[in-house]
Amino acid sequence: MTPPEPPAQLPPLFADWFASRGWAARRHQLEMVAAAQAGSHALLVAPTGGGKTLAGFLPSLIELAGRGPRPEHGPGSGVHTLYLSPLKALTTDVERNLMAPIREIGLNVHVESRTGDTKQSKRQRQREFPPDILLTTPEQLALFCAWEGARAYFADLKCVVLDEVHAIWSGKRGDLLNLGLGRLQRFAPEMRRVALSATVDDPDMIAGWLKPTEPSPVIIVRGDPGAPPVVDVLISEGRVPWAGHTGVHAIPEVYEAIKRSGMTLIFVNTRWQSEFVFQRLWEINDENLPIALHHGSLAAEQRRKVEAAMARGELRAVVCTSTLDLGIDWGDVDLVIQLAAPKGASRLVQRIGRANHRLDEPSRALMVPASRFEMLECQAAREAVAENAFDWEPVHVGTLDTLAQHVMGCACSEPFTLDDLYAEITGCGPYRALTYETFEEVVDLVATGGYALRSYERFARIVRTRDGRWKVRNAQVAQRHRMNVGAIVSAGTLNIKVAHRRGGGTGAARWSAGRKVGEAEEWYFEQLTPGDTFVFAGQVWAYQGISGTDALVTHARDVDPKIPSWGGSKFPLGTSLAERVRDMIQDRDHWRVLPPDVQEWLELQEARSVIPRAGDMLVETFPRGSRHFLVAYPFEGRLAHSTLCMLLTRRLDRLGVGPLGFVVTDYSLAIWAIKPMDGLDLDALFEPDMLGDDLETWLEESFMMKRTFRNCALISGLIERRQPGAEKTGRQVTFSTDLIYDVLRRHQPDHLLLRTARADAAAGLLDVARLGEMLSRVQGRIVLKRLERPSPFCVPVLVQIGRERVGGGAAEMILDETAMEFSEEALIAEVMA
């Protein structure tokens, strides 16, 4: 770690501005100015409300204030500072906040934003007349790198500011971003890199990612801690439900908290949950409080309306997902409510930071656990926030499909030699260990598609010139690449549009598409038939059919939707938070901070079964009806548990046990079978070698590999979703990638994209690394408890059986009734004992 420079003195112009507002520049802001004056790269880690964004821009504003007249063309006329945010909405917010000091100080500094929503005319003007400060996203940077003339456009670049770096650095977006930084550094060797974050567990790791190959160090600047947040846990009617995941039991108390507060943000973890909670709040909104909804699948226009109303202070509450997690200042937020467990301490800190947004005053937050295990998780997260302890980040190695996209972008911008581009790429943090052989394989993928596909001309996207350089094959290929940049691959989506009847025809042909209300995944509409009703954007719609890339809907007459369970995926339980929960369970003294009914639940578990030590894994077996159950408690999250169940059921099938099914939660898993499982060798059953041949065989048979390959093919550019004048539907993309997948499986099983897809499936969809660590940890430490009836710990996972086909209120009723049945059974067993 490089120590920060001594704090700098502000120029009088800026010192006077701070004084006019009754402020004094904070220490970390002055250290960021000093780092810039020394020409050093810098990582600022400071709490929300501490002026991080201003600290990132302050050196640039000072430098721009001291320059002479700016020429219209030539040296000195280009972009001075490039700001990159993971969210489009954040660029708009930062532009608004940045203009305040520029106007009030009277600086001649031109600031503009550029996102995918920016009009084409404005984009063209920005190319001809660059602003001093350009605010944009990583996807736009990938597009910049594919511009002809990018080298000249960024020749004057002095600084790049990466906001909310913790949210982006460790994934494929971070890989593409880092490669873009490497490209910019070649264009402007003196460019400084600045990264900002409030929630970094290991600043040295981020600094290593940020650092270029040059000897210039990355200075780590730490802000002073702010006032500790006030985080309470809502115990609805003095009790915590045995099971659940929506927090619907506490909706009346949540509504009362909204009434007592100013503007409230209600964070949930999935889009479906946001729709569900929004509906339930409006059902009891007798006072007609202005309550809005915000999530990523709503139409951009509707999101902007909500954001504008928030900024004007016109709303009392917004039900939202991670779209409002990051450092956007949406007016005077008084309270943050986390409905259901947050799944990670860093995420909770980010969300709490939306309230009050001032360093010296505490933010106020309320957590609402949906079940007793979630109560443990909420308490663990609350303690982690108090200790300023964030989620651990794994070491990340750069992905090859992302690298292929970058190579293609470089060829679109200007011809390159292999040696020069290799040197540039291995100067980027995620790719420092990239071998030349692998680099050549990536280039060959872009040039031919690989030897199994090289006979197809459409996969030949770059060609070699006589002087040994590589360039894009033609202007049409370059155009298609620029239309498909980025590392975000969502499931195939359809536009949800309000339909109007147009007369004759049948099915979707009877309707014409009107106003867009949002987007949703194709797979969701594949399960619907015309006339089915569902909830979206806080309203009930009737599905009428699909026309091209549009799902046509009409306003439904039904108040209760037939199929309410549209929504996105759940966050996995964070590793560090899971460890805290395991520690809490084993520590009886720690139980005293928990509600009385949760303490009684733990005591009942200890009496009926056993409380496992933190390093052990409890496995319970018992009969129920004609089935035999095995329930384990790894506390490693849904992804890892689902993968483990897939592999365990294969082993159990070979052992002749006859596994019939499984369900998982973030905390446990349950498998039921025809024959008893209490006589099995559990150490052998949970042997880590299942992650070898068993995993490989399962992957080869699973649709998951095709789905993962589809994403890799899209990111690498092997398949292009958008083309001039047209866009493939998700089904068309899937059909194309499935054909290529089958060809490569037969003729080139070691193809680079097949290897990348396997690695992606293992790391992302399956959480194999985490599962492997868990299996190694519990070897020799599995505690078997043979029971006659389910234990209290079993209840949350057992009530999931048969529930996945149902959504909304019916699901909650089934869950409550089943939980009551199981809990009564557990209590009766205790009385009889």
Side-chain angles (χ1 to χ4, degrees), residues 491-546:
T493 58
L494 295 175
N495 300 313
I496 302 175
K497 292 189 175 181
V498 180
H500 304 284
R501 192 183 296 275
R502 62 180 178 189
T506 59
R510 293 183 301 157
W511 305 93
S512 61
R515 175 176 61 90
K516 177 179 175 181
V517 294
E519 300 174 351
E521 291 83 353
E522 277 185 317
W523 60 260
Y524 179 72
F525 293 104
E526 288 172 356
Q527 67 179 329
L528 303 185
T529 56
D532 284 347
T533 55
F534 65 100
V535 173
F536 187 87
Q539 299 182 57
V540 181
W541 303 94
Y543 169 71
Q544 301 300 343
I546 293 174

Side-chain angles (χ1 to χ4, degrees), residues 462-501:
I462 61 175
V463 295
R464 197 168 189 175
T465 62
R466 290 181 179 179
D467 63 357
R469 295 174 179 268
W470 291 89
K471 68 173 187 176
V472 65
R473 183 157 61 94
N474 55 45
Q476 291 74 29
V477 172
Q479 181 186 15
R480 293 202 305 270
H481 169 79
R482 294 179 186 126
M483 294 177 68
N484 288 277
V485 296
I488 300 175
V489 180
S490 58
T493 58
L494 295 175
N495 300 313
I496 302 175
K497 292 189 175 181
V498 180
H500 304 284
R501 192 183 296 275

Side-chain angles (χ1 to χ4, degrees), residues 608-778:
R608 281 283 295 119
S609 177
V610 69
I611 294 290
R613 291 177 297 180
D616 295 346
M617 183 176 73
L618 173 63
V619 174
E620 297 171 335
T621 59
F622 52 87
R624 181 170 173 79
S626 61
R627 302 294 181 244
H628 298 270
F629 285 79
L630 180 149
V631 181
Y633 304 89
F635 291 90
E636 294 294 348
R638 289 175 180 270
L639 284 178
H641 292 172
S642 295
T643 302
L644 180 56
C645 281
M646 288 288 191
L647 300 176
L648 286 174
T649 51
R650 296 178 75 92
R651 287 194 165 182
L652 291 169
D653 192 50
R654 290 199 299 269
L655 292 171
V657 172
L660 296 172
F662 68 83
V663 288
V664 302
T665 68
D666 273 322
Y667 318 103
S668 59
L669 60 91
I671 298 173
W672 57 97
I674 296 172
K675 296 182 180 180
M677 292 175 277
D678 53 0
L680 299 175
D681 181 343
L682 293 184
D683 279 328
L685 182 64
F686 286 89
E687 178 67 40
D689 65 3
M690 73 168 69
L691 299 181
D693 292 342
D694 279 350
L695 177 63
E696 190 66 25
T697 303
W698 174 49
L699 280 176
E700 295 301 330
E701 297 172 356
S702 171
F703 76 95
M704 189 180 301
M705 271 297 293
K706 285 191 174 182
R707 179 163 45 130
T708 310
F709 177 82
R710 167 189 177 276
N711 294 346
C712 294
L714 286 168
I715 289 174
S716 69
L718 192 72
I719 293 292
E720 294 157 338
R721 182 163 198 158
R722 301 178 191 89
Q723 297 183 358
E727 178 170 344
K728 290 183 178 180
T729 66
R731 284 172 289 182
Q732 289 171 327
V733 169
T734 299
F735 181 73
S736 300
T737 54
D738 283 358
L739 285 176
I740 296 172
Y741 177 81
D742 291 336
V743 168
L744 295 180
R745 280 280 310 278
R746 286 194 302 270
H747 301 292
Q748 194 181 353
D750 63 342
H751 190 277
L752 181 146
L753 288 187
L754 288 180
R755 301 200 312 268
T756 303
R758 289 189 192 99
D760 280 4
L765 298 174
L766 306 179
D767 220 349
V768 167
R770 183 169 176 181
L771 179 56
E773 292 172 4
M774 184 277 291
L775 292 173
S776 298
R777 171 174 59 83
V778 302

Side-chain angles (χ1 to χ4, degrees), residues 234-252:
L234 189 154
I235 309 302
S236 177
E237 298 180 353
R239 68 179 186 89
V240 181
W242 281 66
H245 70 281
T246 64
V248 66
H249 68 284
I251 291 295

Side-chain angles (χ1 to χ4, degrees), residues 243-248 272 276 803 807-817:
H245 70 281
T246 64
V248 66
W272 171 78
F276 177 76
R803 180 182 172 276
E812 293 299 326
M813 289 170 60
I814 292 172
L815 188 147
D816 288 343
E817 292 171 2

Side-chain angles (χ1 to χ4, degrees), residues 21-37:
R21 288 202 157 205
W23 297 348
R26 299 187 186 276
R27 174 189 54 78
H28 62 263
Q29 293 173 329
L30 297 177
E31 287 182 3
M32 291 294 285
V33 173
Q37 292 172 348

